[in-house]
């Protein structure tokens, strides 16, 4: 097949009259999806325990995979020889890969950060590696994602201002190098820049303005959901989103809970990803219209109602809380699968409801009714 010069076609469709919230469509080489959207996390080329058919059935439009993990195992060359991630994992819809910046800093035994790149030891076998913006883009190109991310440093929280400023300046230089590397691989139409700046409003604005100058097809807001208070995260969105071009997609990395998704959408964010729905499911923690419950609680021992009476997912239509409790307590694989499916459906259904209410300009009413039945986290 000839190389199709596919750009990231994003169009804003409707706007809420009393907030920056908007709906849109994002068209990529492997399909299109509506925004705001939640991306299930498939770190090692699988959304744990769920099949591609199940992911599609619960409404997954695009999923996320991680460069850091796939680079270490099975290796980018193995995935490339398999025909890329879509072939490898039998997923025909869009995929976004994170650049490894966050994972190197959060998971590996960090050795050294230099202007050129990051030296680290694998958290799997202690082997030494050196990753640069160019290397990260090359790996993501081999993985064959529809959207790739610039290589950045996600500063942990809290961090002093001097370090945050030094780091964001280096991330800006890395962003230029990532963009240049993508251009050399004809992938510049598929790469998002990442805004940093910690929890310092003026540094957030500086990072956003300087990243925007590089004219990426899309922009991620990084350096958040790293343990800071939600209120602080929302304040950083308030100062960052207005600095980003309104006609390009905005992706808030690693976020979040249902409340975070709602507050992010209200502030004009279009894309989200988080491990919470699938990770918490494996511990029996289920999201429902009344808040988060733990299905292993004794109260569900003889509860033959579905986990969420307001949920129309396959799990809630066919199984009881008592059955799920039994499976999860016995660590039965099927229980992990059912809980993961329901949580993912809950997150994706919440995004559907948000899109529907933005289009009808009834977002405020929907949010109010959602929170009224929602037990505090
Ligand atoms: C490490 C792991 C699995 O990823 C989750 C979860 O733990 C955890 C750990 O503690 C909480 C906060 C509860 O969430 O943080 C992750 C979700 N927050 C997040 N993901 C991010 C990914 C990012 N990628 C790049 N390239 N740059 C970023 O700035 C960036 C920022 C991010 N923030
Ligand atoms: Zn359900």
């Amino acid at each position: 097949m000839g190389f199709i010069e596919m750009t990231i076609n994003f169009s804003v469709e409707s706007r809420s009259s009393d907030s920056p919230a908007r709906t849109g469509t994002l068209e990529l080489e492997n399909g299109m999806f509506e925004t705001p959207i939640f991306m299930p996390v498939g770190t090692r080329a699988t959304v744990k325990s769920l099949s591609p058919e199940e992911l599609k059935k619960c409404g997954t439009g695009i999923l996320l995979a991680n460069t850091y993990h796939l680079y270490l195992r099975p290796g980018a060359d193995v995935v490339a020889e398999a025909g890329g991630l879509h072939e490898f994992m039998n997923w025909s819809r869009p995929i976004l890969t994170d650049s490894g910046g966050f994972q190197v800093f959060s998971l590996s035994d960090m050795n050294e950060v230099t202007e050129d790149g990051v030296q680290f030891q694998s958290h799997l076998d202690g082997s030494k590696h050196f990753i640069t913006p160019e290397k990260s883009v090359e790996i993501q190109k081999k993985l064959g994602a529809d959207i790739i991310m610039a290589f950045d440093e996600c500063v942990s929280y809290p961090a002093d201002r001097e370090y945050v400023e030094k780091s964001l300046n280096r991330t800006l230089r890395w962003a230029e190098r990532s963009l240049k590397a993508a251009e050399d691989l004809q992938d510049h139409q598929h790469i998002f820049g990442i805004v940093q700046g910690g929890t310092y409003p003026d540094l957030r604005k500086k990072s956003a303005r300087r990243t925007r100058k590089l004219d990426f097809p899309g922009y991620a807001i990084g350096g958040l959901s790293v343990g800071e208070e939600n209120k602080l995260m929302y304040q950083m969105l308030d100062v960052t989103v207005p600095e980003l071009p309104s006609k390009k997609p905005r992706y808030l990395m690693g976020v979040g809970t249902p409340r975070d998704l709602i507050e992010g959408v209200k502030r004009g964010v279009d894309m989200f990803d988080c491990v919470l729905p699938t990770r918490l499911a494996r511990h029996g923690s289920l999201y429902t219209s009344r808040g988060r419950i733990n299905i292993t609680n004794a109260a569900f021992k003889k509860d033959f109602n579905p986990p969420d009476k307001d949920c129309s997912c396959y799990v809630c239509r066919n199984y009881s809380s008592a059955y799920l409790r039994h499976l999860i307590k016995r660590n039965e694989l099927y229980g992990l699968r059912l809980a993961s499916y329901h949580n993912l459906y809950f997150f994706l259904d919440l995004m559907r409801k948000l899109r529907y209410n933005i289009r009808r300009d009834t977002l405020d009413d929907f949010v109010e009714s959602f929170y009224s039945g929602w037990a505090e986290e």
Side-chain angles (χ1 to χ4, degrees):
M1 178 174 75
F3 182 77
I4 310 161
E5 176 54 34
M6 262 301 273
T7 59
I8 292 182
N9 278 328
F10 178 63
S11 58
V12 176
E13 242 106 72
S14 59
R15 296 173 193 283
S16 146
S17 58
D18 46 14
S19 80
R22 76 266 188 89
T23 65
T25 50
L26 193 56
E27 188 188 354
L28 298 161
E29 200 163 327
N30 284 290
M32 66 188 289
F33 52 83
E34 295 176 324
T35 62
I37 191 158
F38 178 80
M39 300 183 282
V41 175
T43 294
R44 300 189 187 92
T46 166
V47 178
K48 289 182 173 42
S49 84
L50 296 178
S51 71
E53 288 66 34
E54 288 163 335
L55 289 171
K56 286 179 187 163
K57 236 171 70 188
C58 71
T60 302
I62 175 171
L63 59 80
L64 182 139
N66 267 311
T67 297
Y68 170 80
H69 295 81
L70 294 168
Y71 159 74
L72 291 177
R73 292 205 187 135
D77 291 335
V78 169
V79 177
E81 280 170 46
L85 270 177
H86 293 87
E87 277 299 306
F88 196 48
M89 61 188 291
N90 183 31
W91 176 252
S92 58
R93 293 183 180 179
I95 296 171
L96 179 148
T97 45
D98 195 353
S99 52
F102 179 80
Q103 290 73 29
V104 161
F105 289 98
S106 61
L107 299 175
S108 72
D109 297 329
M110 269 292 304
N111 292 138
E112 201 190 354
V113 188
T114 63
E115 183 60 29
D116 194 23
V118 183
Q119 163 128 11
F120 66 94
Q121 280 180 274
S122 158
H123 68 296
L124 300 172
D125 59 14
S127 54
K128 276 197 182 319
H129 301 268
F130 187 68
I131 190 161
T132 63
E134 293 79 11
K135 176 110 186 252
S136 170
V137 168
E138 181 200 348
I139 294 167
Q140 294 180 80
K141 175 83 179 172
K142 283 183 179 173
L143 298 175
D146 297 81
I147 299 178
I148 68 174
M149 303 306 291
F151 187 70
D152 65 326
E153 177 180 8
C154 171
V155 179
S156 51
Y157 174 81
D160 70 58
R161 186 194 158 80
E162 192 191 343
Y163 186 79
V164 170
E165 182 152 28
K166 202 163 120 277
S167 169
L168 81 82
N169 287 329
R170 179 170 52 219
T171 285
L172 282 164
R173 294 191 292 272
W174 284 358
E176 280 186 275
R177 286 169 52 188
S178 301
L179 191 54
K180 170 89 178 52
E183 280 161 1
D184 296 348
L185 295 169
Q186 291 90 40
D187 232 7
H188 53 291
Q189 297 287 355
H190 301 244
I191 184 169
F192 279 17
I194 304 179
V195 175
Q196 293 292 343
T199 53
Y200 299 94
D202 61 324
L203 297 184
R204 277 279 161 192
K205 285 185 188 151
K206 174 182 175 183
S207 176
R209 288 172 185 159
R210 300 270 297 277
T211 308
R212 172 180 186 159
K213 272 216 177 72
L214 299 173
D215 196 20
F216 283 96
Y219 296 89
I221 300 167
L224 295 173
S225 182
V226 287
E228 78 284 359
E229 258 189 78
N230 292 350
K231 168 156 97 314
L232 204 40
M233 175 164 78
Y234 304 158
Q235 285 168 358
M236 290 308 110
L237 294 181
D238 289 333
V239 298
T240 307
V241 171
E243 300 298 333
L244 297 174
S246 63
K247 292 190 168 48
K248 293 196 174 169
R250 301 144 180 178
Y251 161 30
L252 178 54
M253 305 186 88
V255 175
T257 64
R259 178 182 292 279
D260 293 338
L261 298 181
I262 291 170
E263 295 306 316
V265 165
K266 279 168 55 180
R267 290 167 172 80
V269 175
D270 307 300
M271 298 165 70
F272 302 83
D273 87 273
C274 194
V275 293
L276 280 182
T278 38
R279 173 177 292 188
L280 290 179
R282 295 194 294 278
H283 303 288
S285 183
L286 302 184
Y287 282 96
T288 75
S289 47
R290 54 194 189 282
R292 194 151 60 94
I293 61 171
N294 198 304
I295 204 72
T296 60
N297 188 309
F300 296 109
K301 190 176 170 75
K302 291 187 177 176
D303 181 342
F304 301 109
N305 299 303
D308 185 353
K309 64 178 178 27
D310 298 331
C311 180
S312 51
C313 86
Y314 169 76
V315 179
C316 294
R317 281 186 287 108
N318 291 285
Y319 297 100
S320 69
S321 302
Y323 179 64
L324 244 70
R325 178 177 184 276
H326 159 65
L327 292 183
I328 299 256
K329 280 193 77 70
R330 311 299 308 143
N331 211 18
E332 280 291 342
L333 288 176
Y334 193 48
L336 308 185
R337 280 174 34 74
L338 291 175
S340 299
Y341 185 91
H342 163 79
N343 274 358
L344 222 32
Y345 183 94
F346 183 88
F347 272 59
L348 295 166
D349 198 44
L350 173 59
M351 300 315 280
R352 268 189 288 271
K353 289 169 182 164
L354 288 167
R355 293 193 296 265
Y356 175 75
N357 282 282
I358 293 171
R359 284 193 203 103
R360 293 176 66 236
D361 206 10
T362 51
L363 183 61
D364 274 359
D365 300 344
F366 167 72
V367 170
E368 201 180 318
S369 69
F370 180 90
Y371 283 152
S372 64
W374 184 258
E376 265 317 300
E377 287 272 352

